[in-house]
Amino acid sequence: MTYIRNAATRPELTYAPGTALGRRIRARDGNCRFPNCQVSARLCDIDHTTPFDRNRPENGGLTVESNLACLCRRHHRLKTDGSWTVRQTGAGKLEWTTPRGEIIRTEPEGAAIELTHNHIREMQHSRALRLLTELSHDQRDAEYLNQLHGRRRTHRNAPVPPPAGGGTGA
């Protein structure tokens, strides 16, 4: 028996993004993605970068994160009328082409992007801190040998104090 999947079971084949996808796009973008536009993403349309094909959705223009971006109504219309063109270049980045052929690139500025950048910075800081505080292999080996032989831990290049009560022999 063959089962046929329809648009109801494949959300990428429906025009409107689901609630979760819409929230992700708005959180990623933060604002209208047209160059220098500061209209909040919550007031924007979620636009298909490659147009959605209503007659044959499987032919392209899918409703997926890599094909969606927030555009205010004004810039959505400007893109739709064809005077400006846009393409997604990955990770939410857009490449706009002006009517004169100039290329302008925009990047998402939303909270989701800031959280990702903060997480990466925290991971880098944590790794750097760990590297600064970890003993080197040589230091660990020396520590192990000192413990094995019952000696106190000595720091590299630190003078070793004379044994207690050892005197000078005078």
Side-chain angles (χ1 to χ4, degrees), residues 96-112:
W96 291 89
T97 304
T98 70
R100 294 188 308 186
E102 299 163 322
I103 304 290
I104 301 172
R105 292 174 182 85
T106 67
E107 294 189 16
E109 297 179 354

Side-chain angles (χ1 to χ4, degrees), residues 86-140:
V86 64
R87 71 182 190 96
Q88 296 237 9
T89 60
K93 297 176 183 175
L94 300 181
E95 187 176 271
W96 291 89
T97 304
T98 70
R100 294 188 308 186
E102 299 163 322
I103 304 290
I104 301 172
R105 292 174 182 85
T106 67
E107 294 189 16
E109 297 179 354
I113 295 300
E114 187 59 31
L115 288 172
T116 301
H117 289 307
N118 285 342
H119 178 70
I120 290 169
R121 279 192 293 271
E122 286 172 14
M123 295 291 287
Q124 290 169 338
H125 176 73
S126 172
R127 184 169 185 268
L129 188 60
R130 192 178 74 245
L131 289 173
L132 288 172
T133 58
E134 268 185 359
L135 296 174
S136 72
H137 290 292
D138 291 342
Q139 289 169 321
R140 275 192 298 239

Side-chain angles (χ1 to χ4, degrees), residues 61-83:
L62 299 176
T63 304
V64 293
E65 192 167 347
S66 60
N67 189 44
L68 298 171
C70 292
L71 294 178
C72 68
R73 185 61 50 95
R74 177 177 181 218
H75 293 127
H76 189 170
R77 288 184 179 140
L78 194 65
K79 181 211 149 222
T80 302
D81 80 14
S83 54

